Amino acid sequence: MSSNVTSVNDSDLIDRCMTILKHDGVLAVPTDTIYGLAALVSSEKAVRRIYEIKGRLFTKPLAISVGNVEDLFTWSKPTLSSEQLSDGDLLPGPVTLMFERQLSLPSYFNPDVNNVAIRIPNHQMMIELARRLGEPIALTSANISNGPSSISIDEFQSLWSQVDLVIDGGVLASNDRRGSTIVDLCEKGFFHIQRPGIDCERIISLIMSLSKLESLANETILEIFDYLRPIDIIRAFELLNERFQILIIQRSYHVNLSMNLSLNDFNEYCSIILPSYCSSIRSIYLSNSETCGCMSLFFQRFPHVEAVFPNLRTMVFIDPNDNDYNQIIKIKQLTTVHLKYSQIYEQKIHLAALFDNPNLQTCILSYDDLLPIQKFRSSASLKRLVLDNFYINDFHLLFYLYPSLEHLAINRLLVNFQGYLPPFNGPVRTLHTLKLNCAYTVQFDYILYLLSLLPNLVHFTCIAIGIDFFNAEQWIQILSSLEQLRSLVFDLKAVTEMFDNKLAASFLTPYWHRWRIAVDYSEDNRKYHLFTIPYHRLSFISTIYSVSTIQAPPHMFDSVTHLYLKMNSSMQMCSNRKYPNVYALQIYQNTIVTVDYSNLFSRLCTMIDAHKLVHLELFISLPPSIFLALLKSTPCLRYFKTDYEILMILTDNLQNDDICSDLHHKLNKLVIRQGVLPLTDKDRFVQIFSNLKYLQIQLYTVYELRLLLWTCLKIMFQLQTLHVRLVGTDASIDSLQWQGVINNISYEIAKRHIQIWK
């Protein structure tokens, strides 16, 4: 340990710090958020040292830290009163407040900046130090400029020699690298979140409660509206006064008529809200999956969509039936259409008619089946196209049909049985963005050939499987020919017979430094995983344990919100990677090796912040004790997906009261992917999950459905959507048999499934 490192608990610490600071010194200090560099604002030399230590531009201002609320009025011009600022829930705390600066601050400190950012960290040492000094402390994060923030002193060890004293406060309790939430309060009645940080939502609520709603600026009110559903905005503010009425009318609305919406809410939208604010509607989302029959009800209410909603430009349709689709293709004003089908071949639709819309610029088609090129029709206006499954062999026809195409994404690229690529008429010069998720049958040579025909490509994403994709030299050759390329995202996987470090080393040449490559290796399934960093994609797939043969910086996965983990055997030298912002987690089984689950919970706690987890999909047979520990650490969990057999193991056949109680109080959505609910478990199952709003399960027969439906309607008062798949039927096609509304409940009855929405 370095000689200039001391414990935060040293008895003479404050005296030592004061002496160092008063002699132009710089400290590395713990706070309530992250570690910081501190110096006296009154020492121009020390302030300059902070900039030099961090390699920070001198034009970027520093914050100041004080010890009392009264100090804010000495160094700034607060727009909140002393009583409001003294609210113990705001200051001290993980918040930085920006106000207009006072002349009492020296002119060399943040020159040419009219405001100042002030903190009172909720940290006893920092508060006592500031109070005894009686003057402001310049404070900024302890890291190289633009690098990751630090929550332990080891993470900025390279800076120790450049500061006069490092104060070790251990691993900070915040365990969050975002730092404080910065709030701009320079203008009275207005606030703006300059940087979301720790406790951002709570701080927004506090500041809103400190201000009278009607005294807030229009910009602030509109920012608040961004967090609310249109139905909530109109219910709460429509009749408040004329000013709010004008703000509501002038706002553009993106209306989701399916997510967490009851049939009564839907009827209120269609009868009152949508007609009253029809000119403000910009996009509408409709789903027969979440809310069965809602499209038919919508088109019954609004048979002439274009006449009612003149500014509507975007619509999303999830699982429309044949009649719904015939209404969709009549809407010619849309510039963006997202169409999603579970079973597109079981619908009698003429997909090509969708492209007859002369205004269509963006088309997103999501489906389980494969769409042949014959399903498409030419369009001169189409610029963005997203497809789920498509043959690479038909690419030449795709560019022929859509000559203005600028953005193309294929979520599953396949090769047909012919196995060759027909020649193109020439280079495709319009395409700027290409995203490909290749099936294992797609060869690297196909991708090289395709890229050779796209000279103006700017953004390229490639997700692929196969050892041939790990050819660094060939990648360099083709990528170097793309002179406009500015963004490259790789996510490549390959299985090898044995560990070969040359594979990773071939991506360590100077050319690859530009794109920053990371490589993981999983020992038990001998799989390499190569990807570019920073990792800009929202989802990431990995094994629980892996070795980083080329290390990725820890903060590079801050963008990941959806994490897919495959179980594998523990490894001694595995990487300690963190995904701090994950809210959706899927864990699935490893079919190659038998895995010990005993360390899984502790491993997960090092990888993610379980408090942020909302969505969990679990397809492994965890012991109930580990599952209970996981549930206890996830207070925000609302969605759970699993198999029925696994649910029985997790809950001790629905008899573990602690687990069942936790599931009862937390979940509002449950999806059983596989396995049939036996009638013997029906009553206990419904009792445990009586708080659900959405339930998807499987049964054998209609008789079982009748028994379950009666129990559900009797006990599950909050249930809005019930989706039952009938696995006992021998029907070859899941065709729609009947749809309608009875007793304010919408029903959809098909050969292989039944849905209700109430």
Side-chain angles (χ1 to χ4, degrees), residues 323-364:
N323 294 328
D324 298 333
Y325 182 75
N326 291 332
Q327 293 293 325
I328 292 169
I329 59 178
K330 294 178 182 178
I331 310 172
K332 302 299 185 183
Q333 73 196 62
L334 299 178
T335 58
T336 299
V337 174
H338 183 173
L339 199 62
K340 181 176 180 179
Y341 280 100
S342 298
Q343 299 290 334
I344 199 166
Y345 274 110
E346 295 185 1
Q347 305 290 341
K348 299 175 183 178
I349 66 167
H350 185 45
L351 186 63
L354 187 66
F355 298 95
D356 290 340
N357 176 3
N359 296 306
L360 187 64
Q361 296 181 17
T362 298
C363 183
I364 303 171

Side-chain angles (χ1 to χ4, degrees), residues 144 162 205 243 299 458 505 549 574 581 646 648 743:
I144 298 297
Q162 301 178 64
S205 298
R243 176 192 173 209
F299 287 123
V458 178
T549 59
C574 66
N581 296 311
I646 292 175
M648 292 298 99
N743 295 330

Side-chain angles (χ1 to χ4, degrees), residues 27 65 109 129 153 205 343 358 393 520 535 697:
L27 307 174
S65 177
F109 185 76
L129 178 61
I153 63 170
S205 298
Q343 299 290 334
N393 315 71
D520 289 351
Y535 193 80
I697 56 172

Side-chain angles (χ1 to χ4, degrees), residues 711-731:
T711 306
C712 288
L713 295 177
K714 183 179 178 181
I715 297 176
M716 303 176 75
F717 298 109
Q718 299 187 62
L719 189 67
Q720 294 176 358
T721 296
L722 173 64
H723 190 172
V724 179
R725 294 199 173 275
L726 300 175
V727 298
T729 179
D730 57 358

Side-chain angles (χ1 to χ4, degrees), residues 320-563:
N321 60 38
D322 304 347
N323 294 328
D324 298 333
Y325 182 75
N326 291 332
Q327 293 293 325
I328 292 169
I329 59 178
K330 294 178 182 178
I331 310 172
K332 302 299 185 183
Q333 73 196 62
L334 299 178
T335 58
T336 299
V337 174
H338 183 173
L339 199 62
K340 181 176 180 179
Y341 280 100
S342 298
Q343 299 290 334
I344 199 166
Y345 274 110
E346 295 185 1
Q347 305 290 341
K348 299 175 183 178
I349 66 167
H350 185 45
L351 186 63
L354 187 66
F355 298 95
D356 290 340
N357 176 3
N359 296 306
L360 187 64
Q361 296 181 17
T362 298
C363 183
I364 303 171
L365 297 177
S366 305
Y367 44 89
D368 291 340
D369 303 300
L370 183 71
L371 275 183
I373 194 66
Q374 292 80 8
K375 286 275 187 178
F376 295 84
R377 184 176 291 168
S378 63
S379 169
S381 61
L382 193 69
K383 294 182 178 180
R384 295 170 58 90
L385 180 62
V386 180
L387 303 174
D388 265 8
N389 296 284
F390 195 75
Y391 283 137
I392 192 172
N393 315 71
D394 292 331
F395 259 54
H396 63 301
L397 297 174
L398 204 60
F399 292 123
Y400 172 77
L401 291 172
Y402 308 116
S404 301
L405 201 61
E406 297 176 0
H407 175 110
L408 176 62
I410 309 294
N411 293 324
R412 189 164 182 261
L413 186 64
L414 303 162
V415 179
N416 68 15
F417 65 92
Q418 296 172 346
Y420 74 96
L421 296 186
F424 284 55
N425 291 331
V428 180
R429 302 188 183 279
T430 58
L431 198 71
H432 298 154
T433 301
L434 179 63
K435 298 181 179 180
L436 302 176
N437 190 341
C438 306
Y440 70 93
T441 53
V442 176
Q443 298 177 19
F444 183 36
D445 289 344
Y446 297 166
I447 303 302
L448 293 178
Y449 173 66
L450 186 61
L451 291 177
S452 70
L453 298 165
L454 306 174
N456 296 325
L457 202 62
V458 178
H459 308 284
F460 177 53
T461 297
C462 183
I463 305 166
I465 301 172
I467 197 66
D468 53 334
F469 283 91
F470 281 70
N471 191 321
E473 290 186 9
Q474 284 192 288
W475 274 122
I476 292 174
Q477 184 177 352
I478 190 63
L479 295 177
S480 298
S481 69
L482 302 175
E483 298 179 357
Q484 306 297 321
L485 193 66
R486 297 292 178 269
S487 170
L488 175 67
V489 176
F490 272 170
D491 199 335
L492 310 177
K493 298 181 179 70
V495 175
T496 60
E497 290 300 320
M498 61 184 67
F499 178 77
D500 181 5
N501 201 42
K502 291 182 180 179
L503 273 178
S506 64
F507 288 90
L508 284 174
T509 61
Y511 174 84
W512 293 107
H513 291 169
R514 173 186 177 187
W515 303 115
R516 304 187 69 184
I517 297 296
V519 180
D520 289 351
Y521 180 73
S522 178
E523 195 172 66
D524 50 7
N525 56 6
R526 303 186 303 278
K527 181 178 286 186
Y528 278 99
H529 183 192
L530 181 148
F531 49 94
T532 45
I533 53 176
Y535 193 80
H536 292 299
R537 297 176 63 213
L538 297 180
S539 61
F540 188 75
I541 303 174
S542 180
T543 49
I544 294 282
Y545 301 97
S546 61
V547 174
S548 292
T549 59
I550 299 179
Q551 184 65 46
H555 67 288
M556 291 302 179
F557 295 91
D558 289 0
S559 67
V560 176
T561 57
H562 292 65
L563 182 62

Side-chain angles (χ1 to χ4, degrees), residues 292 709 713 720-722 745-747 754-758:
C292 72
L709 186 59
L713 295 177
Q720 294 176 358
T721 296
L722 173 64
I745 298 178
S746 177
Y747 293 86
I754 294 175
Q755 282 185 272
I756 70 165
W757 171 40
K758 67 184 185 73

Side-chain angles (χ1 to χ4, degrees), residues 74-77 100-107:
T74 303
W75 310 108
S76 71
K77 301 176 182 179
E100 184 181 347
R101 64 187 286 163
Q102 290 275 22
L103 294 176
S104 51
L105 283 173
S107 58

